[in-house]
Amino acid sequence: MRIDDGLYVLAAVIVPVEYADEHRAALRALLLRKQPRLHWRDERPKRRLEITRAVAALHPNTVIVIGTRLMPAKQRRARRKCLERLLWHLACRDVPHVVMERRNTEGNKEDLDMVNALRAREALPQDMHVEWASPLVEELLWLPDVVAGIVARAETGDRTLRDLLLGDHLVEHVSCD
């Protein structure tokens, strides 16, 4: 979320099961000593370049939803709109299992309520498994964090890292007003 720029960015990286362990190992190899996890906002420019190149080497298949016209008082609405579109795109790609980054108790409940509402409207397959995990436990959650950070930066004018990110990317802009 970049409130000053009016952006809310959600990203998903689709990782086939047969590549999951390879991706996790590549991500763990990027950790600095005593660093528990990768987190885009904590990294310096030189490290961001190194991380971008390593992620690009994985040729990520991403789905990115960019909420625009974000009003600070409507952050929850922006997240719901972006999450709805993100999950819809994943369902269209027959993604059977979605792991979302755990937030706080209230945030997790809001996300779960959204998933259940989408299922009730038949906008999300009943058999799509959605769960929440900590990025301290599931390294693959670092991928969408990195991608979202790169995309948010590109949306505000600096495409340097975005142009390095190889792979298959679907990007949708959604108005959050």
Side-chain angles (χ1 to χ4, degrees):
M1 183 170 41
R2 295 183 78 150
I3 293 175
D4 292 345
D5 299 310
L7 296 175
Y8 199 107
V9 180
L10 281 183
V13 178
I14 301 167
V15 178
V17 174
E18 60 269 22
Y19 296 115
D21 288 337
E22 175 186 323
H23 281 45
R24 287 183 186 104
L27 291 164
R28 279 192 304 272
L30 291 166
L31 290 175
L32 300 173
R33 191 171 6 155
K34 296 189 180 184
Q35 186 179 22
R37 67 171 276 202
L38 287 182
H39 198 288
W40 188 254
R41 74 164 185 236
D42 297 336
E43 300 294 346
R44 295 178 186 207
K46 185 177 178 183
R47 280 273 297 157
R48 286 181 175 178
L49 178 60
E50 175 187 355
I51 292 166
T52 300
R53 287 184 173 142
V55 169
L58 299 174
H59 299 278
N61 179 356
T62 66
V63 177
I64 303 151
V65 178
I66 303 166
T68 60
R69 298 181 183 171
L70 169 66
M71 306 279 284
K74 295 188 177 184
Q75 294 172 28
R76 285 186 171 134
R77 173 176 160 67
R79 180 173 178 85
R80 283 192 310 270
K81 287 184 87 168
C82 292
L83 183 57
E84 178 177 8
R85 294 304 297 168
L86 185 75
L87 290 171
W88 180 81
H89 284 295
L90 294 175
C92 288
R93 284 162 181 70
D94 296 320
V95 172
H97 187 196
V98 177
V99 180
M100 295 176 47
E101 184 171 339
R102 183 179 299 151
R103 303 190 304 147
N104 58 35
T105 303
E106 182 181 345
N108 292 342
K109 183 182 179 327
E110 288 173 0
D111 288 347
L112 178 59
D113 289 346
M114 183 67 188
V115 168
N116 289 332
L118 292 170
R119 285 196 173 120
R121 290 189 346 232
E122 297 183 2
L124 196 65
Q126 295 294 328
D127 62 347
M128 177 189 268
H129 181 74
V130 180
E131 67 176 283
W132 288 260
S134 167
L136 295 173
V137 175
E138 176 52 82
E139 296 94 345
L140 294 177
L141 289 169
W142 305 347
L143 287 169
D145 177 68
V146 168
V147 170
I150 291 168
V151 169
R153 187 180 187 109
E155 286 294 306
T156 59
D158 182 356
R159 292 189 50 88
T160 309
L161 297 177
R162 172 69 178 88
D163 292 342
L164 296 175
L165 195 59
L166 306 172
D168 181 25
H169 312 290
L170 182 142
V171 179
E172 179 182 358
H173 288 81
V174 175
S175 178
C176 292
D177 55 2

